[in-house]
Amino acid sequence: DTGVSQDPRHKITKRGQNVTFRCDPISEHNRLYWYRQTLGQGPEFLTYFQNEAQLEKSRLLSDRFSAERPKGSFSTLEIQRTEQGDSAMYLCASSLESSGTSDTQYFGPGTRLTVL
Amino acid sequence: GQNIDQPTEMTATEGAIVQINCTYQTSGFNGLFWYQQHAGEAPTFLSYNVLDGLEEKGRFSSFLSRSKGYSYLLLKELQMKDSASYLCAVRGRDSNYQLIWGAGTKLIIKP
């Protein structure tokens, strides 16, 4: 148990609907990352936060995707007007960035999204 | 460009030893990670190398050569539960802490 939790674990939706996923990181971790993964591929970076600040967003990410981390603790990822190509596993990870640490990312169990 | 290369699939026998290689070309280097991922599950951290040499952790060891842009993960005394994908990821110095991920090596263990 890495301590990162995600909700829901599975989501089935119809094309055009909006979906929101939640991630609760390990409590003392100041960085939080969102990734997308499809079968046979490594995780694809979407965005990351340092505390409540969103520091980077993938240039490949469409404007239908938005993420927040309002109080520097949990984060939400919203996908608007879902498309069948959005079907994937959405992974959240957290890490502790400080001097002398490896800043290792620990992953939650993921949310599997299926868009019909 | 930045790139991570790993074999797509490997097969090994229960009880044996297997070495999974990873080569990388990145903008700078600030650490290499290995993760294990069982089908349908999230990646689990295995090892971290930032200096050249071998890091041993139980049945798993990871080696790094920065001058060659090369790492390997060595798994000893293979067990059926080691059947999984093994992901290599590199943090480039200029990538604002982002990890560059390989596509993973699917390891199949046979009895």
Side-chain angles (χ1 to χ4, degrees), chain A residues 102, chain B residues 26 28-33 48-50 90-94 97:
Chain A
S102 62
Chain B
T26 58
F29 177 85
N30 196 20
L32 184 144
F33 298 81
Y48 169 71
N49 295 71
V50 67
V90 174
R91 184 164 57 218
R93 191 188 310 119
D94 301 331
Y97 302 102

Side-chain angles (χ1 to χ4, degrees), chain B residues 3 14 37-38 42 69 79 83 96-97 101 105:
Chain B
N3 194 50
E14 190 177 15
Q37 187 174 26
H38 286 100
Q79 301 175 11
S83 292
N96 198 21
Y97 302 102
W101 292 85
T105 298

Side-chain angles (χ1 to χ4, degrees), chain B residues 81-93:
Chain B
K81 67 178 182 180
D82 297 329
S83 292
S85 285
Y86 291 86
L87 297 160
C88 173
V90 174
R91 184 164 57 218
R93 191 188 310 119

Side-chain angles (χ1 to χ4, degrees), chain A residues 2-86:
Chain A
T2 64
V4 180
S5 61
Q6 292 186 245
D7 183 69
R9 295 290 304 276
H10 302 273
K11 178 70 177 179
I12 299 173
T13 191
K14 293 182 179 179
R15 189 176 52 184
Q17 297 295 304
N18 299 344
V19 294
T20 300
F21 308 143
R22 176 180 171 125
C23 171
D24 287 87
I26 294 172
S27 59
E28 64 268 25
H29 284 185
N30 52 5
R31 288 191 168 161
L32 187 149
Y33 309 78
W34 285 100
Y35 292 92
R36 177 172 61 190
Q37 188 178 28
T38 53
L39 196 63
Q41 300 298 315
E44 174 193 3
F45 170 76
L46 296 179
T47 189
Y48 99 99
F49 294 83
Q50 172 116 357
N51 300 310
E52 66 274 12
Q54 187 173 16
L55 295 189
E56 189 168 343
K57 188 174 175 180
S58 170
R59 284 167 288 184
L60 300 176
L61 204 61
S62 83
D63 56 8
R64 296 184 298 106
F65 288 70
S66 62
E68 294 183 341
R69 194 183 183 197
K71 297 181 180 178
S73 56
F74 74 93
S75 175
T76 57
L77 176 70
E78 181 182 18
I79 308 173
Q80 297 182 326
R81 305 181 302 281
T82 52
E83 302 172 356
Q84 287 185 325
D86 297 331

